[in-house]
């Protein structure tokens, strides 16, 4: 009996410390802010879509096989006969009460099921690009700072300027041309090969990874160039600090000075950049998916906008906003983990 009471008291103490911790309070505040942001973003998106001439059913009016009575029936079925305020209120009410994002007009399927199919592909491309960008750009930026004004540093500066001048769609065009002249070395179009289902589990992973190479490169070029320059600049600032000179005077190995003392203090601005990096990657992924026919959220969103498929377009835009909010929140928590001196309340 006594051990049970002690266990309950311990659990209550742990729960109390969790609820009153700075991190928990900060996350709750950010989530409440996110709800308001999502509401405003969805209302604005819905209003802008209503400014487009016509609606989904309007495209069917040109078909002589569809009678006017059928057109009116479809408009009532999809709720397009109501005002945009009523449509938005009904859409929002269904989400809050039933978690129902509606049914896609063009696909005649649940919007939620379509999103679950497409979001993983977009996240896979964005995360792969993020890993490649950071794994290459940060070491090169550090080396460029250490070898400042040498030939190696000047070459990297030229490459970074060229990379920043290449938007994702220009890079995608060049890579498509490269894939054409090297065919069938690099597959273009889709996420898998036609024989994907016949492959072993390892073979399926390799197949997806092989299709991911060119889209990842197209998405990473601009991000790599910017991150490499920022890393170089931050490292140069830190390497000029007095405590770095003191560490070298004490006889510490150069690798320890650079990768322990200098990098630890230069990494904070890079972590802050992570949230903005995810935003640019997602916007770039939307464009890259069109060039490489990648079955992701961006391709689905553009198709929904072209077809005036309101439920699908709204859910896709909201999902994109959710991914951006989560990315920024993760970046803030990583910044706190990297430097415990930082107070989360100052990051708002």
């Amino acid at each position: 009996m006594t051990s049970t009471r002690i266990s309950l008291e311990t659990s209550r103490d742990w729960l109390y410390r969790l609820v009153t911790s700075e991190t928990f309070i900060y996350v709750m505040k950010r989530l409440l802010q996110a709800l308001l942001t999502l509401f405003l973003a969805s209302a604005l998106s819905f209003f802008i879509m209503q400014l487009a001439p016509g609606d989904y059913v309007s495209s069917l009016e040109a078909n002589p096989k569809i009678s006017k009575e059928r057109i009116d029936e479809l408009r009532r079925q999809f709720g397009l006969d109501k005002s945009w305020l009523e449509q938005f209120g009904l859409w929002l009410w269904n989400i809050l009460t039933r978690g129902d994002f509606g049914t896609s007009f063009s696909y005649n399927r649940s919007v939620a099921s379509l999103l679950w199919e497409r979001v993983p592909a977009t996240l896979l491309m964005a995360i792969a690009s993020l890993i490649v960008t950071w794994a290459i750009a940060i070491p090169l930026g550090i080396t460029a700072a250490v070898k400042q004004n040498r030939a190696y540093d000047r070459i990297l500066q030229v490459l970074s300027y060229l990379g920043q001048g290449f938007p994702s769609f220009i890079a995608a065009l060049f890579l498509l041309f490269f894939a054409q002249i090297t065919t069938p070395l690099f597959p273009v179009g889709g996420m898998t090969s036609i024989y994907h289902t016949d492959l072993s589990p390892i073979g399926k992973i390799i197949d997806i990874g092989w299709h991911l190479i060119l889209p990842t490169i197209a998405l990473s070029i601009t991000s790599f160039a910017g991150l490499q320059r920022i890393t170089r600049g931050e490292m140069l600032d830190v390497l000029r600090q007095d405590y770095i000179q003191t560490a070298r005077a004490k006889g510490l190995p150069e690798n320890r000075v650079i990768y322990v003392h200098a990098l630890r203090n230069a990494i904070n601005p890079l972590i802050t950049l992570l949230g903005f990096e995810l935003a640019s990657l997602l916007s770039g992924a939307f464009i890259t998916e069109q060039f490489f026919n990648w079955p992701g959220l961006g391709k689905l969103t553009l198709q929904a906008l072209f077809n005036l498929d309101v439920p699908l377009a709204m859910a896709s835009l909201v999902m994109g906003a959710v991914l951006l909010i989560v990315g920024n929140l993760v970046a803030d928590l990583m910044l706190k983990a990297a430097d415990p001196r930082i107070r989360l309340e100052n990051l708002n």
Side-chain angles (χ1 to χ4, degrees):
M1 192 71 177
T2 303
S3 61
T4 303
R5 188 185 303 114
I6 294 173
S7 177
L8 288 173
E9 290 176 355
T10 303
S11 299
R12 281 196 295 266
D13 290 342
W14 177 82
L15 183 60
Y16 176 78
R17 287 195 299 270
L18 174 65
V19 173
T20 57
S21 67
E22 180 191 12
T23 302
F24 182 83
I25 295 173
Y26 176 77
V27 170
M28 290 299 103
K29 285 182 179 179
R30 288 294 298 268
L31 290 179
L32 291 175
Q33 293 173 0
L35 292 176
L36 178 60
T37 302
L38 290 175
F39 171 75
L40 295 176
S42 59
L44 180 61
S45 300
F46 198 94
F47 173 71
I48 291 175
M49 289 191 66
Q50 298 305 312
L51 297 178
D55 52 36
Y56 173 74
V57 179
S58 299
S59 61
L60 304 177
E61 293 177 347
N63 190 340
K65 296 181 180 180
I66 302 178
S67 64
K68 186 178 184 304
E69 290 75 16
R70 178 56 178 163
I71 293 293
D72 294 337
E73 180 185 347
L74 288 174
R75 190 166 273 115
R76 286 192 299 271
Q77 176 185 339
F78 295 144
L80 298 175
D81 58 330
K82 299 180 175 62
S83 67
W84 78 270
L85 279 174
E86 291 177 298
Q87 293 181 48
F88 179 72
L90 183 61
W91 175 79
L92 193 62
W93 176 255
N94 287 334
I95 293 175
L96 295 176
T97 57
R98 297 185 297 172
D100 182 15
F101 284 89
T103 302
S104 168
F105 299 161
S106 50
Y107 288 90
N108 196 26
R109 286 180 52 190
S110 166
V111 168
S113 64
L114 287 169
L115 291 181
W116 280 116
E117 287 179 2
R118 300 299 186 97
V119 168
T122 296
L123 284 178
L124 176 62
M125 183 192 295
I127 292 173
S129 176
L130 197 66
I131 293 173
V132 169
T133 300
W134 282 60
I136 298 176
I138 290 181
L140 289 181
I142 294 172
T143 309
V146 173
K147 299 182 179 180
Q148 183 186 12
N149 296 328
R150 300 181 189 175
Y152 179 88
D153 179 34
R154 296 186 185 279
I155 291 173
L156 284 179
Q157 288 189 55
V158 171
L159 292 177
S160 67
Y161 281 120
L162 291 176
Q164 286 189 304
F166 270 78
S168 297
F169 70 94
I170 297 294
L173 286 174
F174 274 98
L175 288 172
L176 285 174
F177 176 74
F178 173 75
Q180 182 180 8
I181 62 177
T182 58
T183 187
L185 184 60
F186 292 102
V188 174
M191 189 174 173
T192 58
S193 303
I194 55 176
Y195 50 82
H196 180 79
T197 55
D198 300 328
L199 298 174
S200 64
I202 299 298
K204 290 180 178 179
I205 294 175
I206 295 174
D207 184 40
I208 294 174
W210 197 246
H211 282 77
L212 191 61
I213 292 176
L214 293 184
T216 300
I217 294 174
L219 194 57
S220 302
I221 288 177
T222 304
S223 300
F224 158 79
L227 184 62
Q228 186 266 327
R229 290 189 63 198
I230 292 173
T231 303
R232 176 183 180 274
E234 293 296 331
M235 284 295 296
L236 285 175
D237 288 340
V238 173
L239 290 174
R240 295 190 184 104
Q241 299 298 317
D242 292 339
Y243 68 90
I244 296 295
Q245 305 303 324
T246 303
R248 285 171 170 162
K250 290 181 178 179
L252 292 178
E254 186 66 13
N255 285 341
R256 182 177 177 83
V257 171
I258 294 171
Y259 293 102
V260 176
H261 295 279
L263 182 59
R264 184 176 181 180
N265 290 279
I267 201 71
N268 286 353
L270 302 180
I271 296 176
T272 304
L273 184 67
L274 180 63
F276 300 100
E277 188 75 13
L278 182 60
S280 63
L281 284 177
L282 287 175
S283 61
F286 281 21
I287 299 172
T288 305
E289 286 173 6
Q290 295 300 310
F291 283 93
F292 293 96
N293 197 27
W294 189 263
L297 183 63
K299 188 176 178 62
L300 184 70
T301 303
L302 286 178
Q303 289 174 346
L305 292 173
F306 288 146
N307 296 330
L308 293 177
D309 191 343
V310 177
L312 181 57
M314 289 296 298
S316 300
L317 293 170
V318 168
M319 182 57 67
V322 168
L323 294 176
L324 296 182
I325 290 170
V326 171
N328 281 278
L329 179 58
V330 170
D332 287 346
L333 296 178
M334 288 176 62
L335 188 60
K336 172 66 175 177
D339 191 348
R341 299 171 300 175
I342 295 175
R343 297 188 62 82
L344 289 172
E345 61 186 18
N346 296 329
L347 297 177
N348 287 321

